[in-house]
Amino acid sequence: MHKMPLKLPATMWKRNLPEEEIFNSTLNTSNVKETDKFITLLDEAAVSYRNDCLELADVMYKEAKKCLTARVDSSTHTKGMHLVDSIILKIPRDSSRLVWALKTRGDFNYQSGSFEFASRDYEIFLEACAKGNSEVGVCCQVYGRLTICMYMTKQQIKSRKYLIEYQKCRSKLSFEILQGQVFAELDDHIKTFEPLVNNMECIVAPAISESLYFLTPYNGFNGSSEIPLTSAACGYRNDSVYAKSTIPQGAVLFVEEHFYQPVKFPFLRCENCRHYTTLFYTCLECRYKCYCSLLCMEIDKPFHQYECEGYMQLSLIFLDAANIFRLFLRILFLLNDHVFHRKIFHKLKTGGQVLNAIYHMLGSTMLFGTRYLGLIRNKPSYGSLSSIQYSTVITTAFRLTIFIEKKTNIMETFLNKLSISNKQKMIVVGALLMRLHSNILLNSFDIEYVGYLTNFSLLNGPQPDVPKYINPIRGLVEDIYEFYNIDVEKDINERNDDIIKCETPVSRAASAILNWNHIKNCTPIDDILSIFKDNIIMMYFNPELSSKQLEEKRAQDPEIINGYLAQLGSDESRFEFVKGCADLFHKHFTDYFLPMFEFHPHLSEVITLYCPTLRRFKHSCVPNVQVMVLNNGVVIGKSLREINENEELNIAFKAHYLMHTRPERKNFLKIFNTKCNCKSCQLVEIGESTNIRLAIKCDKCKDLVITPAHKSCSECQTLYADLLAKYCSTIRLLEKQLEAATESNGGENKEREVYVLQTILLRQAKRCFTQQNEISVNIELQYAHFLALKNFAQQSYDLLMEVKEKILKYYPERIIWFTFYAFILETIKVLLHYNLEKLNYCTLSKDALLNLCRLGIYIIKGQKETFEFYEKFDTHGIILLEDLKRFFIWKKRIICEGTFFEF
């Protein structure tokens, strides 16, 4: 809707005027009527879509039932379950097909033993049935299964609750129904634990509530400094933060609680608890707000009840105002509880007087919820906003105010204590929204949140614990080729040449090696929903464009769309445009985003943080302060190294010398009109470590090295990107053959085939990539792990030591603790387990074993320190301590039990 022409005051108006005066000028009859028309059009589109969904539900229901008759492990049955998922996400709650789908998926999860997922489906089923007339027998069965699910997931209080409901429903059923197989099985299961549940003490479950008030942790910080939430060791001058004294490594420099809005693909996180979920539900009314469980729905209800209509008819989505609206609701709750009850507000007659009274009270009184009220306490510097931002602030505030007045009871609920007229209340609302939105824009920034401590693995699935490894097939073997009876020329060289000649391109998707990297493209941050709306508009202009092409059109230049919109002179053309976009958005929303969740489950998330303190820090590609978002929602900054007195403190904002190449950093910072002069950006680009780590060899020019900085071969002009794509296709082809060999049932021949392919893969890596290239390193580590599992211990050890020296030379330790080092540690565990726990398989010397043991202890201690640095020393830390204990035992055996070795 922001892109729809609206008759608003020009952006060159004096921005220092009071917000109420600026907003009052927008409340002319023409603007109000136009926005009323937009809202009406969105309402009509929502009603039309709802009716279409009711008809679609019957079609999807019939198709799903047909598919679900197939075998459970068949593709047809999977298709049926996808249809069930779609019904659960989009079909209105008054459709009987929704409760059928919830019951069907719940039964599927129950039969599969997924009791937690089944319980969620069943609870949403009961909620969906609350306003309808569901059969008592069906509800009784659900109560019985919920009783079992809750007991199996150790939720005894809920198990008792549903047991009581089950017994109530059961008493209403006839004897014939209770003799059926379903109830016989339920009774048989329940009676095994019913006495335990019935004899539980009656513990009242805590009421569902959410605290509206959060206090910023000031402990240990100088509240009177120029930046209130920074350490007393930090100063501020010449628009820069600097160290007042020497700061040790790992010192906390600031702590700030923040507001944040994830810019994400929908369905990745629960809107309430923010946790990732693979089983999700949408609000049963609006069908757009996403939750992971009924509990989260109920916790969010006090706020969502006021915004549900805005999601249902797309106002909040089209305005990109969901976060602004939610923060505004929190502020209204606080003002209603702590400000509007004052007698002074009964005497005020204008919106301006009310606003001045609010600002005065917030400036002179310390109230609960100050981190929210702070968003409206101080008048923002409107002059610091760009023209587009300023126009967006006014447009958003105006349209949200009209939406609030027309579609919600917010004014009656929160502003009923004010004696001013309805128009003056609208001025109060609009002015507060302007101030709120501006402060958010001026004190927020986006970060890419991927999790700091991800443990990457080159193998599919989790690594097994060492004691669970099966015994290796062979004992003492020195010559691998002799053992496998391999003819190097025939089995390795000729087959390698045949693979190179293969011209069939292979996608690199789903590659365990090619998709493993720590290099994140330093791309501009885009609002995913805005991109989607731009694509919807393009689809409106080109009706033949299929929904599957939307993803391919994401890069469409929005300026083209804006230019087209500017030509929509008549009201009818603009109104038709709004209606068409709303129809398409409803129709393709789920179809567009759900496949992204299914096929890109590890998408990084961009989060918008509101942190005024952090905004004071300048950028450097070589930062000395690490910014972290902790699990409790607090943003902290820690010193990455010792920082000298008077040294400037800097953070990296998605442009880091360890992870991004020079062009990536330069292009990204250009968006913010920033040119970095850090020591990394002053080096010769070709010599940067990020370029060296991505280097490949030219296959035509005697192994001439090419990096992204070169862009092409200096001799034959072959493009870097084309050559890399070719090499990756070959690697993926080998991976597919390796996967097929691993899954086959060939006994010794299978093992020989796997070894041959592993060797060819290693040779290809050395032929195509430089020794420091991360793809080459990954393949070498995979090869070393395979050798270790088969107890070719000396060969594995030699390769590990070679890789260790290589990565220490070209990769900073800060980025390898949980990548290369994590995989090396797993291989070390295998080698030490076989050589120290299985006496018949000891093939390494005492010195080699001691080297491995010391390296393992070094890695574990480094990981432990890193966990502690990031304040995440939790269950992972416990695992590390267990590993450390095991390595100390192994080290003692190596040193003290000299008679164990016969070398």
Side-chain angles (χ1 to χ4, degrees):
M1 285 172 63
H2 281 324
K3 292 178 180 177
M4 316 302 171
L6 178 66
K7 302 176 182 67
L8 287 172
T11 56
M12 67 280 298
W13 276 28
K14 294 181 180 179
R15 299 191 186 188
N16 59 351
L17 290 174
E19 292 98 342
E20 60 268 23
E21 291 186 26
I22 297 174
F23 189 81
N24 185 41
S25 65
T26 67
L27 280 173
N28 57 63
T29 303
S30 176
N31 280 343
V32 172
K33 285 185 176 180
E34 184 182 44
T35 301
D36 276 345
K37 180 64 176 178
F38 283 146
I39 292 175
T40 301
L41 289 171
L42 293 178
D43 284 338
E44 293 173 356
V47 172
S48 175
Y49 174 68
R50 180 184 175 281
N51 293 333
D52 291 342
C53 279
L54 290 173
E55 295 180 7
L56 179 64
D58 291 331
V59 178
M60 296 172 69
Y61 166 75
K62 293 176 182 177
E63 180 66 18
K65 287 204 73 173
K66 180 180 177 181
C67 292
L68 293 177
T69 58
R71 201 174 67 251
V72 173
D73 59 348
S74 66
S75 58
T76 303
H77 189 278
T78 301
K79 177 184 176 182
M81 291 306 299
H82 279 301
L83 290 169
V84 169
D85 291 340
S86 296
I87 292 173
I88 291 173
L89 288 175
K90 66 170 62 174
I91 301 304
R93 74 175 297 165
D94 52 355
S95 169
S96 61
R97 306 313 182 195
L98 175 61
V99 294
W100 169 84
L102 287 164
K103 173 70 164 50
T104 299
R105 194 170 74 179
D107 290 344
F108 176 78
N109 287 324
Y110 178 84
Q111 299 295 345
S112 304
S114 302
F115 296 115
E116 182 180 354
F117 284 176
S119 66
R120 294 183 195 176
D121 283 332
Y122 286 146
E123 286 189 317
I124 301 290
F125 165 84
L126 293 173
E127 178 67 17
C129 291
K131 294 184 179 180
N133 296 316
S134 186
E135 295 181 9
V136 176
V138 176
C139 287
C140 185
Q141 179 186 342
V142 169
Y143 280 128
R145 290 189 169 179
L146 269 172
T147 302
I148 296 171
C149 289
M150 295 305 177
Y151 182 80
M152 296 299 292
T153 54
K154 299 182 180 180
Q155 300 183 63
Q156 284 82 0
I157 294 177
K158 280 193 170 185
S159 182
R160 178 185 174 85
K161 168 190 170 183
Y162 289 121
L163 176 60
I164 294 171
E165 295 297 329
Y166 173 67
Q167 291 168 342
K168 287 180 182 178
C169 282
R170 194 176 184 281
S171 65
K172 299 177 183 179
L173 299 178
S174 66
F175 177 80
E176 291 76 15
I177 293 177
L178 294 176
Q179 294 304 304
Q181 182 179 356
V182 171
F183 287 99
E185 290 179 354
L186 283 175
D187 291 340
D188 191 47
H189 288 305
I190 291 175
K191 71 181 181 181
T192 60
F193 60 81
E194 184 175 1
L196 295 174
V197 175
N198 279 328
N199 290 332
M200 283 179 53
E201 295 182 6
C202 295
I203 303 174
V204 179
I208 297 170
S209 63
E210 181 186 25
S211 172
L212 297 177
Y213 315 120
F214 301 85
L215 297 177
T216 305
Y218 282 95
N219 272 348
F221 293 86
N222 186 350
S224 62
S225 64
E226 291 184 77
I227 312 177
L229 302 185
T230 56
S231 165
C234 299
Y236 187 72
R237 66 186 179 210
N238 300 326
D239 296 326
S240 297
V241 184
Y242 69 96
K244 289 183 177 180
S245 58
T246 301
I247 300 174
Q249 180 181 355
V252 176
L253 301 179
F254 66 85
V255 174
E256 187 165 23
E257 287 194 295
H258 67 287
F259 314 108
Y260 79 94
Q261 172 65 24
V263 181
K264 63 184 177 62
F265 293 103
F267 312 136
L268 279 182
R269 284 186 182 269
C270 172
E271 298 285 355
N272 177 65
C273 67
R274 304 296 182 185
H275 289 157
Y276 281 101
T277 175
T278 55
L279 191 74
F280 41 84
Y281 312 89
T282 49
C283 167
L284 295 175
E285 302 298 337
C286 69
R287 310 307 272 144
Y288 280 107
K289 199 79 167 176
C290 175
Y291 302 98
C292 66
S293 65
L294 177 63
L295 177 62
C296 282
M297 280 188 186
E298 293 176 343
I299 291 175
D300 201 47
K301 188 175 181 180
F303 291 101
H304 183 60
Q305 61 180 320
Y306 297 104
E307 62 188 11
C308 189
E309 183 74 22
Y311 280 94
M312 185 183 300
Q313 50 97 257
L314 302 182
S315 289
L316 295 181
I317 295 176
F318 269 32
L319 287 172
D320 289 335
N323 188 43
I324 300 297
F325 193 78
R326 174 59 70 95
L327 289 173
F328 181 66
L329 284 173
R330 288 183 179 274
I331 290 170
L332 287 181
F333 270 102
L334 294 167
L335 291 177
N336 188 53
D337 292 343
H338 301 287
V339 176
F340 289 153
H341 68 279
R342 312 289 176 90
K343 292 183 179 180
I344 184 176
F345 288 99
H346 298 294
K347 302 176 182 179
L348 303 179
K349 300 301 180 183
T350 67
Q353 292 174 342
V354 170
L355 291 166
N356 289 332
I358 292 173
Y359 302 148
H360 175 73
M361 288 184 180
L362 296 184
S364 60
T365 309
M366 192 69 175
L367 299 172
F368 284 109
T370 52
R371 79 181 188 124
Y372 290 118
L373 295 176
L375 289 168
I376 60 171
R377 179 189 295 112
N378 301 315
K379 184 175 181 178
S381 174
Y382 288 103
S384 300
L385 296 172
S386 67
S387 296
I388 294 177
Q389 286 178 322
Y390 184 64
S391 176
T392 300
V393 164
I394 296 179
T395 307
T396 303
F398 177 80
R399 286 186 163 139
L400 276 181
T401 301
I402 300 300
F403 165 78
I404 287 170
E405 194 274 335
K406 184 174 182 178
K407 303 293 292 183
T408 73
N409 62 346
I410 285 177
M411 291 191 179
E412 293 82 356
T413 302
F414 297 102
L415 306 181
N416 62 326
K417 298 173 185 176
L418 305 180
S419 58
I420 57 179
S421 67
N422 192 59
K423 179 180 178 180
Q424 294 301 314
K425 289 181 180 178
M426 293 174 68
I427 290 175
V428 170
V429 169
L432 290 176
L433 284 168
M434 283 182 59
R435 183 167 285 203
L436 164 66
H437 196 175
S438 296
N439 275 321
I440 287 290
L441 287 175
L442 291 171
N443 293 285
S444 296
F445 57 93
D446 296 330
I447 65 167
E448 185 177 33
Y449 182 73
V450 294
Y452 296 103
L453 302 174
T454 304
N455 189 350
F456 294 96
S457 172
L458 299 178
L459 297 183
N460 294 325
Q463 293 291 330
D465 193 20
V466 171
K468 297 179 182 177
Y469 282 127
I470 59 171
N471 291 336
I473 298 174
R474 62 210 80 289
L476 303 176
V477 178
E478 294 184 3
D479 192 324
I480 304 177
Y481 289 159
E482 180 181 341
F483 179 85
Y484 285 121
N485 190 24
I486 290 176
D487 182 331
V488 175
E489 181 62 31
K490 179 180 179 182
D491 295 323
I492 305 294
N493 296 341
E494 291 184 7
R495 190 165 178 185
N496 182 75
D497 294 339
D498 291 339
I499 292 173
I500 295 176
K501 295 175 184 177
C502 179
E503 298 180 356
T504 305
V506 180
S507 171
R508 58 182 288 173
S511 168
I513 293 175
L514 300 179
N515 290 341
W516 185 96
N517 62 78
H518 54 264
I519 306 299
K520 300 294 180 184
N521 288 330
C522 198
T523 52
I525 297 170
D526 295 308
D527 187 322
I528 303 301
L529 285 179
S530 294
I531 293 171
F532 178 69
K533 289 199 294 295
D534 290 343
N535 282 306
I536 284 295
I537 293 171
M538 292 306 300
M539 195 170 180
Y540 182 77
F541 294 152
N542 303 282
E544 70 279 1
L545 188 66
S546 69
S547 60
K548 291 184 179 179
Q549 292 175 284
L550 285 174
E551 173 65 14
E552 300 172 5
K553 296 290 183 180
R554 289 179 68 234
Q556 188 66 245
D557 188 354
E559 291 185 5
I560 300 175
I561 300 170
N562 290 332
Y564 186 94
L565 292 176
Q567 300 172 16
L568 297 176
S570 68
D571 288 343
E572 287 303 317
S573 62
R574 287 186 289 116
F575 295 152
E576 178 188 357
F577 179 80
V578 173
K579 183 69 163 56
C581 286
D583 288 338
L584 289 170
F585 192 94
H586 283 302
K587 181 178 179 182
H588 295 290
F589 180 80
T590 305
D591 295 335
Y592 179 74
F593 285 115
L594 190 55
M596 289 185 182
F597 173 77
E598 292 175 343
F599 298 113
H600 306 281
H602 302 299
L603 285 170
S604 60
E605 183 176 3
V606 175
I607 295 180
T608 301
L609 296 175
Y610 172 80
C611 290
T613 299
L614 196 53
R615 289 281 291 189
R616 303 287 190 98
F617 287 77
K618 289 185 178 179
H619 165 83
S620 172
C621 299
V622 188
N624 51 24
V625 176
Q626 173 73 65
V627 181
M628 291 163 281
V629 183
L630 303 183
N631 289 337
N632 60 1
V634 172
V635 178
I636 71 171
K638 278 191 172 184
S639 53
L640 284 168
R641 56 173 174 79
E642 184 176 289
I643 300 174
N644 298 322
E645 184 179 353
N646 291 322
E647 184 177 348
E648 186 176 357
L649 303 177
N650 294 306
I651 63 171
F653 176 38
K654 280 203 74 185
H656 200 290
Y657 80 105
L658 292 180
M659 295 174 284
H660 305 124
T661 61
R662 178 80 60 85
E664 287 175 335
R665 302 199 307 269
K666 185 177 179 181
N667 292 335
F668 180 76
L669 293 173
K670 192 182 297 183
I671 302 169
F672 307 98
N673 296 318
T674 299
K675 183 178 179 181
C676 185
N677 293 315
C678 69
K679 63 181 181 181
S680 180
C681 291
Q682 292 174 352
L683 296 173
V684 178
E685 181 184 343
I686 294 176
E688 283 192 332
S689 59
T690 44
N691 271 291
I692 295 173
R693 298 198 303 261
L694 297 175
I696 60 178
K697 300 176 182 178
C698 181
D699 59 349
K700 298 178 182 177
C701 303
K702 296 182 180 180
D703 295 338
L704 188 66
V705 174
I706 316 172
T707 69
H710 292 106
K711 297 182 180 179
S712 63
C713 176
S714 59
E715 294 291 334
C716 64
Q717 306 305 314
T718 301
L719 294 177
Y720 172 89
D722 292 342
L723 199 56
L724 178 64
K726 175 184 176 181
Y727 290 164
C728 287
S729 181
T730 302
I731 295 297
R732 183 59 187 133
L733 179 64
L734 275 168
E735 277 190 309
K736 290 179 72 69
Q737 293 187 18
L738 189 56
E739 290 168 6
T742 304
E743 294 170 0
S744 66
N745 298 316
E748 287 295 323
N749 290 332
K750 165 186 171 179
E751 185 181 331
R752 180 181 185 276
E753 175 72 0
V754 169
Y755 174 74
V756 168
L757 291 172
Q758 289 274 16
T759 304
I760 294 175
L761 183 60
L762 183 64
R763 289 197 173 195
Q764 282 294 334
K766 291 182 176 181
R767 184 187 72 85
C768 301
F769 305 99
T770 58
Q771 62 174 352
Q772 64 270 17
N773 187 289
E774 64 181 32
I775 294 178
S776 178
V777 174
N778 294 336
I779 291 174
E780 286 180 304
L781 287 177
Q782 176 177 283
Y783 190 77
H785 195 76
F786 170 79
L787 293 175
L789 287 172
K790 300 306 174 186
N791 200 30
F792 295 117
Q794 189 62 49
Q795 294 89 336
S796 179
Y797 170 80
D798 293 341
L799 187 53
L800 279 185
M801 294 300 104
E802 179 184 334
V803 170
K804 185 200 77 169
E805 295 302 321
K806 189 186 310 179
I807 61 177
L808 282 176
K809 183 177 181 180
Y810 295 105
Y811 292 83
E813 279 194 315
R814 200 176 135 217
I815 62 175
I816 62 178
W817 285 114
F818 295 93
T819 51
F820 296 134
Y821 270 169
F823 201 79
I824 288 174
L825 183 63
E826 292 302 321
T827 305
I828 291 174
K829 288 181 187 178
V830 177
L831 291 172
L832 292 180
H833 176 73
Y834 284 160
N835 280 266
L836 297 178
E837 305 294 341
K838 305 290 183 181
L839 302 185
N840 293 333
Y841 300 112
C842 181
T843 60
L844 289 176
S845 67
K846 180 177 180 179
D847 288 341
L849 290 173
L850 198 56
N851 284 340
L852 287 175
C853 200
R854 286 170 176 165
L855 178 58
I857 292 172
Y858 174 77
I859 292 172
I860 294 169
K861 285 184 174 180
Q863 290 180 341
K864 177 177 173 292
E865 290 176 3
T866 306
F867 270 119
E868 291 173 337
F869 180 85
Y870 286 111
E871 300 291 333
K872 291 191 175 184
F873 188 70
D874 45 24
T875 55
H876 296 283
I878 295 173
I879 295 171
L880 287 175
L881 290 176
E882 291 175 352
D883 282 346
L884 193 59
K885 180 180 177 181
R886 178 186 302 162
F887 269 85
F888 279 135
I889 293 173
W890 280 339
K891 184 178 180 181
K892 181 179 178 181
R893 289 192 63 188
I894 296 170
I895 295 174
C896 300
E897 300 180 17
T899 56
F900 175 79
F901 302 96
E902 298 179 2
F903 300 107

